[in-house]
Amino acid sequence: MIYNFIKKEILLEWRQRYAINGILLYLVSTIFICYLSFNVKANQLNPITWNTLFWIIILFTSISAIAKSFIQEKQERYLYYYWLLKPQVLITARIIYNGLLMLILGLAGFIIYAIVLGNPVQDVTLFIVNLVLASISFSSALTMISAIASKANSNQTLMAILGFPVILPMLLMIIKVSKNALDGLPRDASYHEIATLFAINLIIGAVSYLLFPYIWRS
C-alpha cells in the first residue's frame, strides 16, 4: 500500500510538473543570485560562506517543496484518503516520498551550486551522506508540521513557527558535518553528529507515526 501511494504521488507530480518546475526554478535562480551578489569571479566566496549559503538554499527549498504535502490538498481528496488508507500508511508514504524528492533536489542543487560557485568540499562522500541524512530530516520534520498546520487557517505562518525550533537543532548538526567535509577532517570527527542526527530522525519518525492518527481523525 505504501509503495502504491508513493507511485501515485510520483505519477501526479510528473503529470503536474509546474510544482517541481517552480521549485527547480527557485533553486537555480537563488544560486545564480548568490553568484552575482558575491562576485565569485573575484574569489570572494570563502568555504564557510559557501557552506552557509548552500544550506540556507536547501532549507527554504525544502519548506517550499514539502509544505504542499498537506496544506495544498483539497478536502475532497482528504475524504478519499480517509476511507482508503490507514493514517500510518499515509504519513509513512508521505515522509518517504518527500525524502526522495528532497534527495533529488538536494543532489541537483549541490551539482548546480558546485558548478556555479565552485566546489571546496574535500570529502565529497561524507558531504553526500550528510545530504541524504538532511533530506530525511527535513522530510520527517516538515511533513508532520505540514499535517498539523493544515488544520489551522493561517497554515503557512503556523508551519514557519512550528518548524523553526524543530529544524534548528538538525540544521546545526548538518552544518557541522558538512563543515568537517569541507575541511577534509577524519570521518570519525563527524560520527557523534551523524549519530545524533540519525537518532533525531528516528524520534521524529516514531512521533509522527504515533500522533498522526489523532490529527487525521480531526
Side-chain angles (χ1 to χ4, degrees), residues 42-124:
N43 297 321
Q44 293 184 1
L45 193 62
N46 59 55
I48 296 177
T49 307
W50 188 96
N51 190 36
T52 304
L53 282 175
F54 176 77
W55 289 111
I56 289 174
I57 293 170
I58 295 299
L59 174 61
F60 283 99
T61 302
S62 302
I63 295 173
S64 300
I66 300 177
K68 63 183 179 63
S69 295
F70 290 95
I71 291 177
Q72 297 181 7
E73 288 279 14
K74 296 181 180 179
Q75 294 297 325
E76 293 82 2
R77 188 175 294 177
Y78 273 143
L79 184 61
Y80 176 69
Y81 290 158
Y82 186 84
W83 292 106
L84 182 67
L85 301 170
K86 292 182 178 179
Q88 293 88 347
V89 172
L90 178 60
I91 191 64
T92 303
R94 278 280 166 84
I95 290 175
I96 294 174
Y97 170 76
N98 287 331
L100 293 173
L101 178 61
M102 277 314 307
L103 181 58
I104 294 172
L105 292 173
L107 291 174
F110 174 61
I111 293 171
I112 298 170
Y113 194 76
I115 293 173
V116 176
L117 297 175
N119 183 18
V121 180
Q122 298 186 39
D123 191 344
V124 177

Side-chain angles (χ1 to χ4, degrees), residues 1-13 15 80-81 84-85 89-90 92-94 96-97 100:
M1 184 65 74
I2 293 176
Y3 170 78
N4 292 332
F5 187 84
I6 294 173
K7 183 179 178 181
K8 186 271 299 179
E9 290 288 302
I10 293 173
L11 290 175
L12 282 179
E13 196 72 57
R15 291 175 183 174
Y80 176 69
Y81 290 158
L84 182 67
L85 301 170
V89 172
L90 178 60
T92 303
R94 278 280 166 84
I96 294 174
Y97 170 76
L100 293 173

